[in-house]
PDB file of all heavy atoms in Angstrom:
ATOM      1  N   ALA G1443      25.537  44.842   8.753  1.00 97.00           N
ATOM      2  CA  ALA G1443      26.982  44.912   8.366  1.00 97.00           C
ATOM      3  C   ALA G1443      27.414  46.301   8.174  1.00 97.00           C
ATOM      4  O   ALA G1443      26.742  47.272   7.862  1.00 97.00           O
ATOM      5  CB  ALA G1443      27.011  44.194   6.988  1.00 97.00           C
ATOM      6  N   SER G1444      28.718  46.465   8.409  1.00 96.00           N
ATOM      7  CA  SER G1444      29.315  47.860   8.372  1.00 96.00           C
ATOM      8  C   SER G1444      29.333  48.523   7.037  1.00 96.00           C
ATOM      9  O   SER G1444      29.392  49.619   6.906  1.00 96.00           O
ATOM     10  CB  SER G1444      30.782  47.702   8.946  1.00 96.00           C
ATOM     11  OG  SER G1444      31.497  46.798   8.187  1.00 96.00           O
ATOM     12  N   ASP G1445      29.170  47.588   6.049  1.00 94.00           N
ATOM     13  CA  ASP G1445      29.198  48.236   4.577  1.00 94.00           C
ATOM     14  C   ASP G1445      27.796  48.387   4.091  1.00 94.00           C
ATOM     15  O   ASP G1445      27.536  48.774   2.935  1.00 94.00           O
ATOM     16  CB  ASP G1445      29.941  47.327   3.583  1.00 94.00           C
ATOM     17  CG  ASP G1445      29.308  46.006   3.384  1.00 94.00           C
ATOM     18  OD1 ASP G1445      28.279  45.559   4.119  1.00 94.00           O
ATOM     19  OD2 ASP G1445      29.704  45.213   2.545  1.00 94.00           O
ATOM     20  N   GLN G1446      26.699  48.347   4.985  1.00 94.00           N
ATOM     21  CA  GLN G1446      25.333  48.548   4.625  1.00 94.00           C
ATOM     22  C   GLN G1446      25.094  49.902   3.877  1.00 94.00           C
ATOM     23  O   GLN G1446      24.371  50.011   2.891  1.00 94.00           O
ATOM     24  CB  GLN G1446      24.385  48.276   5.678  1.00 94.00           C
ATOM     25  CG  GLN G1446      22.945  48.314   5.395  1.00 94.00           C
ATOM     26  CD  GLN G1446      22.503  47.266   4.386  1.00 94.00           C
ATOM     27  OE1 GLN G1446      22.960  46.166   4.519  1.00 94.00           O
ATOM     28  NE2 GLN G1446      21.696  47.677   3.429  1.00 94.00           N
ATOM     29  N   PRO G1447      25.733  50.959   4.353  1.00 93.00           N
ATOM     30  CA  PRO G1447      25.459  52.293   3.728  1.00 93.00           C
ATOM     31  C   PRO G1447      25.823  52.321   2.182  1.00 93.00           C
ATOM     32  O   PRO G1447      25.299  53.206   1.495  1.00 93.00           O
ATOM     33  CB  PRO G1447      26.304  53.203   4.507  1.00 93.00           C
ATOM     34  CG  PRO G1447      26.520  52.570   5.839  1.00 93.00           C
ATOM     35  CD  PRO G1447      26.574  51.175   5.583  1.00 93.00           C
ATOM     36  N   TYR G1448      26.660  51.375   1.765  1.00 90.00           N
ATOM     37  CA  TYR G1448      27.032  51.444   0.374  1.00 90.00           C
ATOM     38  C   TYR G1448      26.269  50.402  -0.473  1.00 90.00           C
ATOM     39  O   TYR G1448      26.443  50.297  -1.676  1.00 90.00           O
ATOM     40  CB  TYR G1448      28.513  51.106   0.308  1.00 90.00           C
ATOM     41  CG  TYR G1448      29.346  51.818   1.319  1.00 90.00           C
ATOM     42  CD1 TYR G1448      29.939  51.177   2.293  1.00 90.00           C
ATOM     43  CD2 TYR G1448      29.481  53.211   1.227  1.00 90.00           C
ATOM     44  CE1 TYR G1448      30.615  51.840   3.392  1.00 90.00           C
ATOM     45  CE2 TYR G1448      30.231  53.922   2.233  1.00 90.00           C
ATOM     46  CZ  TYR G1448      30.808  53.251   3.274  1.00 90.00           C
ATOM     47  OH  TYR G1448      31.519  53.848   4.192  1.00 90.00           O
ATOM     48  N   ARG G1449      25.250  49.796   0.023  1.00 91.00           N
ATOM     49  CA  ARG G1449      24.440  48.796  -0.600  1.00 91.00           C
ATOM     50  C   ARG G1449      23.220  49.522  -1.171  1.00 91.00           C
ATOM     51  O   ARG G1449      22.609  50.405  -0.579  1.00 91.00           O
ATOM     52  CB  ARG G1449      24.040  47.594   0.302  1.00 91.00           C
ATOM     53  CG  ARG G1449      25.279  46.771   0.756  1.00 91.00           C
ATOM     54  CD  ARG G1449      24.819  45.793   1.745  1.00 91.00           C
ATOM     55  NE  ARG G1449      26.005  44.949   1.999  1.00 91.00           N
ATOM     56  CZ  ARG G1449      26.427  43.815   1.506  1.00 91.00           C
ATOM     57  NH1 ARG G1449      25.655  43.412   0.411  1.00 91.00           N
ATOM     58  NH2 ARG G1449      27.463  43.208   1.782  1.00 91.00           N
ATOM     59  N   LEU G1450      22.759  49.016  -2.331  1.00 89.00           N
ATOM     60  CA  LEU G1450      21.603  49.641  -2.995  1.00 89.00           C
ATOM     61  C   LEU G1450      20.401  48.818  -2.900  1.00 89.00           C
ATOM     62  O   LEU G1450      19.256  49.355  -2.824  1.00 89.00           O
ATOM     63  CB  LEU G1450      21.925  49.860  -4.565  1.00 89.00           C
ATOM     64  CG  LEU G1450      23.131  50.759  -4.770  1.00 89.00           C
ATOM     65  CD1 LEU G1450      23.396  50.838  -6.317  1.00 89.00           C
ATOM     66  CD2 LEU G1450      22.826  52.206  -4.299  1.00 89.00           C
ATOM     67  N   PHE G1451      20.464  47.536  -2.916  1.00 91.00           N
ATOM     68  CA  PHE G1451      19.255  46.685  -3.105  1.00 91.00           C
ATOM     69  C   PHE G1451      19.086  45.612  -2.064  1.00 91.00           C
ATOM     70  O   PHE G1451      18.125  44.936  -2.019  1.00 91.00           O
ATOM     71  CB  PHE G1451      19.324  46.079  -4.475  1.00 91.00           C
ATOM     72  CG  PHE G1451      19.274  46.974  -5.539  1.00 91.00           C
ATOM     73  CD1 PHE G1451      20.427  47.201  -6.396  1.00 91.00           C
ATOM     74  CD2 PHE G1451      18.188  47.747  -5.949  1.00 91.00           C
ATOM     75  CE1 PHE G1451      20.500  48.164  -7.402  1.00 91.00           C
ATOM     76  CE2 PHE G1451      18.130  48.680  -6.940  1.00 91.00           C
ATOM     77  CZ  PHE G1451      19.295  48.887  -7.733  1.00 91.00           C
ATOM     78  N   ASP G1452      20.072  45.376  -1.270  1.00 93.00           N
ATOM     79  CA  ASP G1452      19.890  44.307  -0.193  1.00 93.00           C
ATOM     80  C   ASP G1452      20.283  44.713   1.171  1.00 93.00           C
ATOM     81  O   ASP G1452      20.715  45.855   1.379  1.00 93.00           O
ATOM     82  CB  ASP G1452      20.764  43.055  -0.629  1.00 93.00           C
ATOM     83  CG  ASP G1452      22.253  43.137  -0.332  1.00 93.00           C
ATOM     84  OD1 ASP G1452      22.666  44.293   0.078  1.00 93.00           O
ATOM     85  OD2 ASP G1452      22.993  42.151  -0.590  1.00 93.00           O
ATOM     86  N   LEU G1453      19.925  43.832   2.076  1.00 96.00           N
ATOM     87  CA  LEU G1453      20.230  44.109   3.552  1.00 96.00           C
ATOM     88  C   LEU G1453      21.201  43.026   3.971  1.00 96.00           C
ATOM     89  O   LEU G1453      20.920  41.892   3.832  1.00 96.00           O
ATOM     90  CB  LEU G1453      19.012  44.082   4.303  1.00 96.00           C
ATOM     91  CG  LEU G1453      19.139  43.971   5.869  1.00 96.00           C
ATOM     92  CD1 LEU G1453      19.739  45.360   6.374  1.00 96.00           C
ATOM     93  CD2 LEU G1453      17.818  43.821   6.597  1.00 96.00           C
ATOM     94  N   ALA G1454      22.338  43.434   4.495  1.00 97.00           N
ATOM     95  CA  ALA G1454      23.285  42.481   4.951  1.00 97.00           C
ATOM     96  C   ALA G1454      23.393  42.492   6.499  1.00 97.00           C
ATOM     97  O   ALA G1454      23.598  43.574   7.110  1.00 97.00           O
ATOM     98  CB  ALA G1454      24.759  42.800   4.394  1.00 97.00           C
ATOM     99  N   ILE G1455      23.198  41.323   7.138  1.00 97.00           N
ATOM    100  CA  ILE G1455      23.334  41.179   8.513  1.00 97.00           C
ATOM    101  C   ILE G1455      24.628  40.433   8.854  1.00 97.00           C
ATOM    102  O   ILE G1455      24.834  39.414   8.385  1.00 97.00           O
ATOM    103  CB  ILE G1455      22.044  40.460   9.107  1.00 97.00           C
ATOM    104  CG1 ILE G1455      20.769  41.210   8.748  1.00 97.00           C
ATOM    105  CG2 ILE G1455      22.219  40.321  10.581  1.00 97.00           C
ATOM    106  CD1 ILE G1455      20.585  42.523   9.406  1.00 97.00           C
ATOM    107  N   ASP G1456      25.430  41.069   9.611  1.00 97.00           N
ATOM    108  CA  ASP G1456      26.704  40.464  10.051  1.00 97.00           C
ATOM    109  C   ASP G1456      26.596  39.430  11.188  1.00 97.00           C
ATOM    110  O   ASP G1456      25.930  39.756  12.214  1.00 97.00           O
ATOM    111  CB  ASP G1456      27.657  41.646  10.524  1.00 97.00           C
ATOM    112  CG  ASP G1456      29.027  41.169  10.977  1.00 97.00           C
ATOM    113  OD1 ASP G1456      29.245  39.916  10.938  1.00 97.00           O
ATOM    114  OD2 ASP G1456      29.726  42.068  11.457  1.00 97.00           O
ATOM    115  N   PHE G1457      27.001  38.171  10.944  1.00 96.00           N
ATOM    116  CA  PHE G1457      27.018  37.222  12.037  1.00 96.00           C
ATOM    117  C   PHE G1457      28.401  36.794  12.405  1.00 96.00           C
ATOM    118  O   PHE G1457      28.499  36.100  13.510  1.00 96.00           O
ATOM    119  CB  PHE G1457      26.112  35.955  11.656  1.00 96.00           C
ATOM    120  CG  PHE G1457      26.592  35.064  10.641  1.00 96.00           C
ATOM    121  CD1 PHE G1457      27.344  33.986  11.007  1.00 96.00           C
ATOM    122  CD2 PHE G1457      26.395  35.321   9.367  1.00 96.00           C
ATOM    123  CE1 PHE G1457      27.876  33.030  10.069  1.00 96.00           C
ATOM    124  CE2 PHE G1457      26.960  34.409   8.289  1.00 96.00           C
ATOM    125  CZ  PHE G1457      27.626  33.312   8.695  1.00 96.00           C
ATOM    126  N   ARG G1458      29.342  37.165  11.619  1.00 94.00           N
ATOM    127  CA  ARG G1458      30.781  36.795  12.083  1.00 94.00           C
ATOM    128  C   ARG G1458      31.896  37.659  11.416  1.00 94.00           C
ATOM    129  O   ARG G1458      32.982  37.341  11.615  1.00 94.00           O
ATOM    130  CB  ARG G1458      31.037  35.376  11.779  1.00 94.00           C
ATOM    131  CG  ARG G1458      31.058  34.889  10.317  1.00 94.00           C
ATOM    132  CD  ARG G1458      31.874  33.595  10.172  1.00 94.00           C
ATOM    133  NE  ARG G1458      31.458  32.593  11.071  1.00 94.00           N
ATOM    134  CZ  ARG G1458      31.072  31.346  10.676  1.00 94.00           C
ATOM    135  NH1 ARG G1458      30.997  30.944   9.368  1.00 94.00           N
ATOM    136  NH2 ARG G1458      30.738  30.474  11.574  1.00 94.00           N
ATOM    137  N   GLU G1459      31.556  38.678  10.593  1.00 94.00           N
ATOM    138  CA  GLU G1459      32.604  39.505  10.088  1.00 94.00           C
ATOM    139  C   GLU G1459      33.364  40.220  11.150  1.00 94.00           C
ATOM    140  O   GLU G1459      34.593  40.314  11.126  1.00 94.00           O
ATOM    141  CB  GLU G1459      32.024  40.504   9.003  1.00 94.00           C
ATOM    142  CG  GLU G1459      33.177  41.433   8.368  1.00 94.00           C
ATOM    143  CD  GLU G1459      32.573  42.321   7.361  1.00 94.00           C
ATOM    144  OE1 GLU G1459      31.512  42.799   7.497  1.00 94.00           O
ATOM    145  OE2 GLU G1459      33.307  42.709   6.412  1.00 94.00           O
ATOM    146  N   GLU G1460      32.640  40.790  12.058  1.00 93.00           N
ATOM    147  CA  GLU G1460      33.252  41.461  13.287  1.00 93.00           C
ATOM    148  C   GLU G1460      32.778  40.733  14.490  1.00 93.00           C
ATOM    149  O   GLU G1460      31.723  40.119  14.593  1.00 93.00           O
ATOM    150  CB  GLU G1460      32.838  42.968  13.259  1.00 93.00           C
ATOM    151  CG  GLU G1460      33.368  43.654  12.024  1.00 93.00           C
ATOM    152  CD  GLU G1460      32.869  45.121  12.003  1.00 93.00           C
ATOM    153  OE1 GLU G1460      31.977  45.501  12.868  1.00 93.00           O
ATOM    154  OE2 GLU G1460      33.214  45.820  11.090  1.00 93.00           O
ATOM    155  N   PRO G1461      33.499  40.807  15.598  1.00 93.00           N
ATOM    156  CA  PRO G1461      33.150  40.041  16.820  1.00 93.00           C
ATOM    157  C   PRO G1461      31.824  40.680  17.400  1.00 93.00           C
ATOM    158  O   PRO G1461      31.558  41.846  17.185  1.00 93.00           O
ATOM    159  CB  PRO G1461      34.335  40.343  17.788  1.00 93.00           C
ATOM    160  CG  PRO G1461      35.383  40.809  16.957  1.00 93.00           C
ATOM    161  CD  PRO G1461      34.813  41.476  15.769  1.00 93.00           C
ATOM    162  N   PRO G1462      31.028  39.805  18.042  1.00 93.00           N
ATOM    163  CA  PRO G1462      31.353  38.418  18.256  1.00 93.00           C
ATOM    164  C   PRO G1462      30.889  37.548  17.134  1.00 93.00           C
ATOM    165  O   PRO G1462      29.941  37.858  16.402  1.00 93.00           O
ATOM    166  CB  PRO G1462      30.556  38.133  19.528  1.00 93.00           C
ATOM    167  CG  PRO G1462      29.287  39.002  19.447  1.00 93.00           C
ATOM    168  CD  PRO G1462      29.851  40.244  18.717  1.00 93.00           C
ATOM    169  N   ASP G1463      31.480  36.301  16.996  1.00 95.00           N
ATOM    170  CA  ASP G1463      31.028  35.378  16.000  1.00 95.00           C
ATOM    171  C   ASP G1463      29.782  34.663  16.512  1.00 95.00           C
ATOM    172  O   ASP G1463      29.870  33.978  17.577  1.00 95.00           O
ATOM    173  CB  ASP G1463      32.193  34.323  15.795  1.00 95.00           C
ATOM    174  CG  ASP G1463      31.883  33.325  14.719  1.00 95.00           C
ATOM    175  OD1 ASP G1463      30.677  33.157  14.368  1.00 95.00           O
ATOM    176  OD2 ASP G1463      32.822  32.694  14.210  1.00 95.00           O
ATOM    177  N   LEU G1464      28.665  34.773  15.900  1.00 96.00           N
ATOM    178  CA  LEU G1464      27.416  34.236  16.332  1.00 96.00           C
ATOM    179  C   LEU G1464      27.247  32.796  15.990  1.00 96.00           C
ATOM    180  O   LEU G1464      26.365  32.110  16.433  1.00 96.00           O
ATOM    181  CB  LEU G1464      26.247  35.075  15.857  1.00 96.00           C
ATOM    182  CG  LEU G1464      26.183  36.617  16.162  1.00 96.00           C
ATOM    183  CD1 LEU G1464      24.989  37.194  15.659  1.00 96.00           C
ATOM    184  CD2 LEU G1464      26.397  36.769  17.629  1.00 96.00           C
ATOM    185  N   GLY G1465      28.041  32.289  15.000  1.00 94.00           N
ATOM    186  CA  GLY G1465      27.937  30.958  14.486  1.00 94.00           C
ATOM    187  C   GLY G1465      26.846  30.740  13.476  1.00 94.00           C
ATOM    188  O   GLY G1465      25.989  31.576  13.213  1.00 94.00           O
ATOM    189  N   LEU G1466      26.880  29.563  12.853  1.00 93.00           N
ATOM    190  CA  LEU G1466      25.991  29.128  11.832  1.00 93.00           C
ATOM    191  C   LEU G1466      24.536  29.098  12.295  1.00 93.00           C
ATOM    192  O   LEU G1466      23.626  29.394  11.536  1.00 93.00           O
ATOM    193  CB  LEU G1466      26.420  27.844  11.221  1.00 93.00           C
ATOM    194  CG  LEU G1466      25.539  27.313  10.006  1.00 93.00           C
ATOM    195  CD1 LEU G1466      25.587  28.350   8.852  1.00 93.00           C
ATOM    196  CD2 LEU G1466      26.152  26.002   9.547  1.00 93.00           C
ATOM    197  N   GLU G1467      24.255  28.679  13.522  1.00 95.00           N
ATOM    198  CA  GLU G1467      22.863  28.587  13.986  1.00 95.00           C
ATOM    199  C   GLU G1467      22.181  29.975  14.011  1.00 95.00           C
ATOM    200  O   GLU G1467      21.031  30.067  13.659  1.00 95.00           O
ATOM    201  CB  GLU G1467      22.849  28.023  15.473  1.00 95.00           C
ATOM    202  CG  GLU G1467      21.554  27.736  15.918  1.00 95.00           C
ATOM    203  CD  GLU G1467      20.708  26.721  15.118  1.00 95.00           C
ATOM    204  OE1 GLU G1467      21.313  25.791  14.628  1.00 95.00           O
ATOM    205  OE2 GLU G1467      19.443  26.954  15.010  1.00 95.00           O
ATOM    206  N   ALA G1468      22.955  31.013  14.355  1.00 96.00           N
ATOM    207  CA  ALA G1468      22.412  32.351  14.290  1.00 96.00           C
ATOM    208  C   ALA G1468      22.101  32.714  12.846  1.00 96.00           C
ATOM    209  O   ALA G1468      21.038  33.368  12.593  1.00 96.00           O
ATOM    210  CB  ALA G1468      23.285  33.344  15.018  1.00 96.00           C
ATOM    211  N   ALA G1469      23.007  32.358  11.979  1.00 95.00           N
ATOM    212  CA  ALA G1469      22.827  32.663  10.588  1.00 95.00           C
ATOM    213  C   ALA G1469      21.544  32.073  10.014  1.00 95.00           C
ATOM    214  O   ALA G1469      20.783  32.726   9.261  1.00 95.00           O
ATOM    215  CB  ALA G1469      24.038  32.258   9.741  1.00 95.00           C
TER     216      ALA G1469
END
């Protein structure tokens, strides 16, 4: 995720915030 540098304790993986939309199956 593009906001990962501002996170302290978790890892965020983007599956549809920005293109391409990977869909729920990828999530």
Side-chain angles (χ1 to χ4, degrees):
S1444 59
D1445 67 352
Q1446 184 62 41
Y1448 315 111
R1449 295 174 178 271
L1450 298 176
F1451 300 104
D1452 76 358
L1453 170 64
I1455 302 294
D1456 176 7
F1457 72 95
R1458 66 157 51 124
E1459 182 179 28
E1460 298 176 354
D1463 184 341
L1464 304 182
L1466 183 56
E1467 185 59 37

